[in-house]
Amino acid sequence: MTTPLRVRGRGWARTHPLAVDAALASLVLVCMVVGSFAEPYGEHGPTWGTRAPDLTSLLLMALGALALVLRRRAPRTVLAATCAASLTELLTGGPRAPVVMCAVIALFTVAATTDRSTTWRIGLVTMAGLTGVAMLSGPLPWYAQENIGIFAWTGMAAAAGDAVRSRRAFVDAIRERAERAERTREEEARRRVAEERLRIARDLHDVVAHHIALVNVQAGVAAHVMDKRPDQAKEALAHVRDASRSALGELRATVGLLRQTGDPEAPTEPAPGLHRLDELVETFRNAGLPVEVALGQVGLDLPAAVDLAAFRIIQEALTNVQKHAGRDATAEVSVVRVGPNVEVTVIDDGPGPGEDADGAREPNTDGGGHGLLGMRERVTALGGSCTAAPRYGGGFRVHAILPVTTAEGGTA
């Protein structure tokens, strides 16, 4: 019960600072008036009601308290006004009234709202001025407790205000670091989501572009020979069925990446790699594209990222050959291990309908070039390089260098 009330009270104080300052000024005025009736130096110790403040002292106390209402809006001006009232009381008051109390509050406010060097400069001037005037004026000796008390109270006010300012700065710094850490964490989460979305989009493109291209070719063959050679049409439709089944399987595996962790329906089959190269090449051969494969001693212990990238690069390159190189084109695939790298090369000898007068083909013109872009993104993510350009004398060449040691080290 107490904690909600306290939090509510702090919130109200932050939203109504002028009301809080007015209440503080009223309290200080009451304390100064009550203190002006006390005699701290009686014969038998402090006595009450043996003296009374005069009209000037009451007026100075009221003016000092009234100035404290504006202490947050103009702290230095309020300090100057309260110091002037205090000096006037020290120089003119017969029995001194504690007007200096309002100057102490004003000095605390200045120290809490400015820097340390300014605090000590203003604090030293205030301490020296008020204490010096108190020691040099009045009937009391300079070493009287009242004069020493003025020095002590002004010094403590400056020190307390500086401590409050330092604590506020420390809390603000902690809050800023927490907010910055929260923003950084959110930005990192958004970046990871964007990268994962891009990776899934790239995999979907590879799967859809490859299988749909094969389905398109085989469906065209079936439609062409349906009347004259139904056996060949059945064979083409069987290849369409196999390509569709394979596409659905890979799409199911890719979309399964979006499922929640621990979902029992999430796919657990391994990602495609070079172990499925023969199966991949066979689908293109069935579609009418002669493909030769030269597989060197690349090893069976390739990192999963390199193995998947090599497979997808070959798949995309052969899909581009199937779509753009023409009917009479042939393709060659080469995968070899060269030192710490695996080099993947796919070449074809077809001019293709997409070449211009200079023999420069633009693969994937119907897809905006996302195939070549996806290949380069895969290779760049592993720290390798990828080139795709027309060959001298006709055809096209895709060459990718995949660093194996970097991927094994985990920095790719």
Side-chain angles (χ1 to χ4, degrees), residues 223-236:
H224 182 70
V225 300
M226 179 66 72
D227 297 331
K228 298 180 179 179
R229 287 174 286 181
D231 294 338
Q232 188 174 354
K234 291 181 180 179
E235 182 181 357

Side-chain angles (χ1 to χ4, degrees), residues 21-206:
D21 291 338
L24 177 63
S26 302
L27 179 62
V28 172
L29 178 60
V30 172
C31 292
M32 288 190 296
V33 172
V34 172
S36 63
F37 286 91
E39 175 58 54
Y41 305 108
E43 295 181 0
H44 303 286
T47 57
W48 176 261
T50 57
R51 67 172 185 173
D54 54 15
L55 183 60
T56 304
S57 297
L58 290 174
L59 180 61
L60 291 174
M61 286 186 287
L63 292 176
L66 182 62
L68 290 179
V69 178
L70 304 176
R71 66 186 186 94
R72 301 194 195 188
R73 296 187 178 182
R76 298 190 185 186
T77 304
V78 171
L79 177 61
T82 54
C83 286
S86 301
L87 291 174
T88 304
E89 173 64 21
L90 293 174
L91 290 173
T92 61
R96 291 176 177 174
V99 183
V100 73
M101 184 182 296
C102 59
V104 171
I105 301 298
L107 180 59
F108 170 83
T109 305
V110 171
T113 56
T114 186
D115 58 275
R116 178 165 296 175
S117 60
T118 304
T119 295
W120 289 114
R121 285 198 302 268
I122 296 177
L124 288 175
V125 172
T126 304
M127 292 164 56
L130 295 178
T131 306
V133 172
M135 288 181 176
L136 296 176
S137 64
L140 298 176
W142 66 271
Y143 53 84
Q145 294 182 1
E146 181 180 347
N147 301 332
I148 303 300
I150 294 174
F151 180 83
W153 279 106
T154 51
M156 286 190 295
D162 183 71
V164 170
R165 181 197 55 78
S166 299
R167 183 180 181 277
R168 288 175 181 172
F170 178 72
V171 172
D172 292 341
I174 293 178
R175 186 180 295 110
E176 182 182 359
R177 284 197 296 269
E179 293 175 355
R180 185 166 57 249
E182 185 67 22
R183 288 195 302 269
T184 304
R185 184 161 51 248
E186 292 177 357
E187 292 173 359
E188 179 67 16
R190 285 194 296 267
R191 185 186 65 82
R192 290 180 179 273
V193 169
E195 290 180 353
E196 184 67 12
R197 186 184 298 115
L198 179 62
R199 186 182 67 83
I200 295 175
R202 187 167 54 233
D203 288 340
L204 286 174
H205 172 271
D206 293 341

Side-chain angles (χ1 to χ4, degrees), residues 343-348 361 387-391 395-400:
E343 295 190 8
V344 178
T345 306
V346 179
I347 61 175
D348 67 83
R361 186 193 309 167
T387 58
R391 297 171 59 199
F396 207 78
R397 178 178 182 267
V398 175
H399 180 68

